[in-house]
Amino acid sequence: MTPELLAPAGSPEALRAAVEHGADAVYLGWGAFNARRGARNFSDGEFARAVSWCHVRGVRVFLTLNILLTDRELPAALETARTASRLGVDAVLVQDWGLFGLLRQALPDLPLHASTQMSLFTTGGANEIAAAGCERIVLARECSGEETAEISRNCPAEIEVFVHGALCVCYSGQCAMSAMVGGRSGNRGRCAQPCRLPYGVNEPAGSKRPLSLKDSSLADRLGEMAEMGVACLKIEGRMKSPGYVAAVTDIYARLLEEGRRPTAREREVLERAFSRSGFTDAYWRGEKGPEMLGFRPENAPAAEEPAPSETDRRIPVEFDCAVRAGEPCALAADDGLGNAVTVTGPVPEPAGNRALTAEDLTARLQKTGGTPYRCAAVKVTVDPGLYLSAAGLNALRRDALEALSAARAAPPVRWERVSPPLPDVDCSEAEPRFTVSVTTAAQLTGGLLDLHPHRVHVPLELLAEVPSLPETEAEYCAILPRVWRDRDEDLLRRRLEKARDLGVTGLLLGNLGHFPLARDGGWRLYGDYGLNIFNSRSLAWLRERGLESACLSFELRFSQMRDMRKILPAEAIVYGRLPLMITENCLIHNTVGCRCDRPNFLNDRTGAAFPLLPAFGHRTEVENSRTLWLADRPDWRRLGLRYARLRFTTETPEECARVFRDYLEGAAPRGDFTRGLYLRGVE
């Protein structure tokens, strides 16, 4: 089966370009709650007209509500989805767990798609959201063809793949760099793209761009995707021009229709439309490396819209017309997809000079130019000796096609429920207890543990290397890798058994795919920051899945944390270098070779140095250049949190113990520090 071609529509002009050049579906933003809030997007009237206009032309419309939402925003987001559903939108893309759960309850018939912002890249994660009622999953761009095929074979939901457009160096949904550096959150649709700027790895920033990847182009891989059952091919670009949308959509539509790879000329058109030092398909091939890096000069030419496609994509219609003496003429129109209408016109008059013939009537009905339709077949019945004016026949045809358009654009009848109440649960606390997370075995000293943390979080990879753990009254919890693949899960299960032998009883889950790995193992399950918990309904949704507590997003303000209903015991990071990115590419290996066992830094143009830490699977985690310090502020102690986490990354063992004591005493900050986003918030 040929996959659906999904094109971006960041404006009404781009939408028209996508449809006229062969898109089967479009995705667009309407209202304030989408991941491209800087795009032109659609007004209320434009959105309603767009849905109807697309449906008449056989094109599906997907609404993007794919950002993290606060408690105050959720009611408005639900009403946006309600209105969109009533207008007939075909699906809604979602990132936020709370919104996902709310829509499933309040609009049970509305199809939901998991945005790539959900960070789904394993079969377990895909099956988890599918079981919750998700009809389609947009996989992480980092997935290879082999991994995509594996998930497609084993997941009941449809699989959607980005086939063309920009690549973020960080996993979508896991990037906080724009938020922390400039207050504009990628998780809130305001990414300022700091990854496209110059940086230096272990050297001052110069002209190199180690975070800027080439655009992806999988135009040569469409046949593979069709064979493995990928349901939808997605073109990135809601911030791009109508010319770009037209050019790229036109070529991909032709490739799918003709079952071939692009010609040299088509490759040139794609590159000229928009690229960053050309294209890459490395992730699809299961590879990575410095050859993926690229950027676009500021003076690069803009895309020009191609000539209209010669392929006739109008809707085929069959007409059946009867012109009988003494009866109003009748015309039926059928699109072959279950939409059939019949209209009537004037009673024909006796012919004066020349009577209407079947040939005349057929020729008149075939004139559908200027409409979304083409005449595929005509059946006529004409009594002899009758006359109908050309204007009358044209009006009859026009009325039939307008009625058919109304039938095709009619929104489906969907079930709606009132917004369900939150569970009557209050897990807030007057004073939080400290938890700690470490990065190295050396940080697990008596000096730290003697200060009586409630929980100690240790990376699962580190637990695999140590023969034993120091004695403590605290609960040991294993931090599962934030990024992994299906092929890693046997290793992870073996390491979990080793962790159990060491006395570990809890697991810190930062991805939806962790749940099937951890469930039914007798573990105590806690949510980590990678889950991007932004509202009370997310806490409720995750509580249903077995979490005993959850770490809130560090992009929230204190006031938002305070006002959140603590349906689960809540935790917040109150000290440490906050994680800004996790990258599939090893940033260290890409630039200075394999030296991940030594300190490495990413340096920006201001002289700020961001530590680069190795992550599971030879990936990289970028830490903030400044350390979060809140010991001297009383705010975080009055938010109703159950736990406050001290996150140790680059600290020496002595520094870990000193920081813990400083927090117990409420000490003032030392050296360069940040208050994070807790006071200033994000856009």
Side-chain angles (χ1 to χ4, degrees):
M1 183 175 178
T2 303
E4 178 178 65
L5 181 61
L6 176 60
S11 67
E13 297 78 16
L15 179 139
R16 181 175 289 274
V19 172
E20 291 181 348
H21 288 272
D24 301 309
V26 294
Y27 62 104
L28 51 85
W30 170 51
F33 309 120
N34 71 90
R36 289 293 181 268
R37 292 161 73 189
R40 158 79 163 76
N41 288 318
F42 289 73
S43 68
D44 292 357
E46 287 171 341
F47 178 70
R49 290 190 294 273
V51 174
S52 176
W53 189 83
C54 286
H55 284 173
V56 166
R57 289 154 180 79
V59 173
R60 300 209 294 166
V61 180
F62 304 149
L63 175 65
T64 55
L65 291 179
N66 54 340
I67 65 169
L68 300 181
L69 297 160
T70 65
D71 280 329
R72 291 187 177 184
E73 293 169 330
L74 276 174
L78 173 59
E79 287 310 305
T80 298
R82 280 193 197 276
T83 302
S85 181
R86 291 166 185 164
L87 291 171
V89 75
D90 296 280
V92 172
L93 280 87
V94 179
Q95 173 188 10
D96 189 280
W97 312 120
L99 179 62
F100 182 90
L102 182 60
L103 294 180
R104 270 288 56 86
Q105 293 173 300
L107 299 169
D109 296 337
L110 177 63
L112 299 184
H113 294 177
S115 167
T116 191
Q117 293 284 117
M118 279 192 181
S119 306
L120 298 173
F121 39 72
T122 64
T123 300
N127 284 337
E128 196 77 10
I129 198 66
C134 183
E135 295 193 5
R136 178 181 288 182
I137 296 155
V138 188
L139 294 183
R141 292 171 173 87
E142 291 83 354
C143 287
S144 69
E146 182 179 345
E147 292 156 355
T148 301
E150 178 75 9
I151 296 171
S152 297
R153 282 193 299 269
N154 295 292
C155 179
E158 295 180 342
I159 298 301
E160 180 174 307
V161 172
F162 274 96
V163 293
H164 195 93
L167 285 176
C168 300
V169 69
C170 178
Y171 274 79
S172 293
Q174 301 300 310
C175 185
M177 181 169 254
S178 178
M180 290 300 302
V181 172
R184 295 175 57 184
S185 170
N187 282 314
R188 300 272 292 158
R190 293 292 193 190
C191 180
Q193 296 191 319
C195 54
R196 303 301 179 187
L197 298 174
Y199 296 90
V201 175
N202 295 336
E203 64 180 8
S207 60
K208 297 177 182 177
R209 289 174 167 83
L211 301 183
S212 182
L213 298 184
K214 295 177 181 177
D215 278 21
S216 172
S217 181
L218 303 182
D220 286 302
R221 308 291 183 168
L222 307 189
E224 298 174 25
M225 295 181 196
E227 289 179 5
M228 65 179 64
V230 170
C232 181
L233 311 181
K234 186 172 194 172
I235 298 168
E236 182 274 337
R238 277 197 292 139
M239 300 290 287
K240 300 290 202 315
S241 70
Y244 169 87
V245 173
V248 177
T249 303
D250 187 74
I251 289 175
Y252 274 82
R254 290 175 185 272
L255 299 183
L256 286 170
E257 282 182 14
E258 299 168 17
R260 61 175 176 83
R261 295 183 174 186
T263 63
R265 168 63 178 163
E266 287 169 330
R267 295 179 199 277
E268 180 184 339
V269 171
L270 289 174
E271 188 163 338
R272 195 169 63 246
F274 193 94
S275 69
R276 291 180 171 91
S277 308
F279 295 112
T280 181
D281 66 351
Y283 282 153
W284 185 259
R285 290 184 282 108
E287 299 179 3
K288 50 191 177 182
E291 70 279 358
M292 293 186 69
L293 299 175
F295 71 100
R296 184 172 177 83
E298 293 183 3
N299 59 352
E304 296 180 7
E305 187 164 344
S309 174
E310 297 177 2
T311 304
D312 190 352
R313 294 192 172 95
R314 293 180 297 167
I315 309 301
V317 176
E318 295 185 2
F319 288 119
D320 187 345
C321 188
V323 180
R324 299 184 182 279
E327 299 177 8
C329 57
L331 176 60
D334 191 329
D335 66 1
L337 298 173
N339 299 298
V341 297
T342 300
V343 297
T344 58
V347 177
E349 302 172 5
N353 297 323
R354 185 172 181 275
L356 178 69
T357 66
E359 291 76 15
D360 293 336
L361 181 55
T362 298
R364 185 63 62 181
L365 293 177
Q366 288 175 334
K367 294 182 178 181
T368 59
T371 75
Y373 304 101
R374 62 179 175 84
C375 179
V378 179
K379 178 182 177 182
V380 298
T381 303
V382 182
D383 285 352
L386 299 178
Y387 170 77
L388 269 178
S389 68
L393 287 173
N394 289 342
L396 187 67
R397 183 192 64 234
R398 183 174 61 250
D399 290 348
L401 293 181
E402 287 178 355
L404 184 61
S405 291
R408 290 173 61 85
V413 177
R414 288 175 174 149
W415 190 17
E416 295 188 18
R417 295 171 174 164
V418 297
S419 179
L422 285 165
D424 187 16
V425 178
D426 183 8
C427 298
S428 59
E429 290 285 343
E431 181 83 7
R433 287 170 272 184
F434 284 107
T435 67
V436 299
S437 65
V438 299
T439 303
T440 68
Q443 292 170 334
L444 279 175
T445 63
L448 179 68
L449 299 177
D450 288 347
L451 296 172
H452 306 294
H454 183 74
R455 288 201 307 251
V456 179
H457 308 118
V458 185
L460 186 62
E461 308 93 281
L462 182 56
L463 292 169
E465 300 173 358
V466 298
S468 62
L469 292 171
E471 291 287 334
T472 177
E473 297 175 356
E475 179 187 20
Y476 277 115
C477 298
I479 307 172
L480 295 184
R482 196 154 40 128
V483 177
W484 77 105
R485 291 292 190 273
D486 285 358
R487 63 178 176 272
D488 300 315
E489 293 194 356
D490 285 343
L491 172 63
L492 297 182
R493 288 188 177 93
R494 291 196 299 273
R495 288 183 172 180
L496 285 172
E497 289 307 309
K498 166 73 182 306
R500 193 192 305 276
D501 293 340
L502 291 172
V504 174
T505 57
L507 300 181
L508 205 53
L509 313 184
N511 184 276
L512 196 62
H514 286 153
F515 285 77
L517 265 177
R519 193 179 289 125
D520 303 325
W523 301 98
R524 303 188 69 179
L525 306 181
Y526 309 109
D528 207 357
Y529 57 83
L531 291 173
N532 288 327
I533 299 166
F534 226 71
N535 54 63
S536 306
R537 289 193 179 272
S538 289
L539 288 175
W541 195 82
L542 292 165
R543 179 190 180 96
E544 293 174 359
R545 277 146 188 82
L547 289 190
E548 295 187 35
S549 76
C551 184
L552 304 181
S553 168
F554 50 80
E555 292 189 15
L556 288 165
R557 294 194 301 273
F558 279 154
S559 59
Q560 293 166 329
M561 289 183 171
R562 180 197 63 218
D563 295 342
M564 193 181 296
R565 289 272 301 277
K566 308 303 189 299
I567 294 161
L568 266 180
E571 180 180 28
I573 299 173
V574 298
Y575 168 83
R577 294 185 184 273
L578 295 174
L580 303 186
M581 287 186 174
I582 184 162
T583 69
E584 181 67 14
N585 269 273
C586 176
L587 304 181
I588 306 160
H589 183 269
N590 276 5
T591 49
V592 297
C594 191
R595 47 163 288 165
C596 299
D597 57 336
R598 287 169 279 176
N600 296 279
F601 295 90
L602 180 77
N603 300 296
D604 71 8
R605 295 172 299 172
T606 71
F610 302 85
L612 301 176
L613 300 185
F616 178 81
H618 204 181
R619 300 176 175 95
T620 300
E621 187 170 272
V622 182
E623 311 299 329
N624 197 16
S625 60
R626 293 185 293 164
T627 303
L628 175 69
W629 188 273
L630 299 173
D632 57 323
R633 295 193 64 95
D635 320 45
W636 58 272
R637 300 178 184 272
R638 301 195 295 261
L639 304 177
L641 299 171
R642 177 75 60 88
Y643 306 111
R645 188 188 307 182
L646 308 178
R647 184 174 188 264
F648 298 118
T649 52
T650 59
E651 291 84 357
T652 66
E654 295 74 21
E655 288 172 333
C656 292
R658 176 182 60 76
V659 167
F660 201 156
R661 287 193 297 270
D662 284 349
Y663 267 73
L664 292 172
E665 298 166 1
R670 310 181 193 188
D672 198 14
F673 71 96
T674 178
R675 302 296 191 185
L677 298 164
Y678 293 139
L679 304 179
R680 59 189 171 107
V682 293
E683 292 183 31

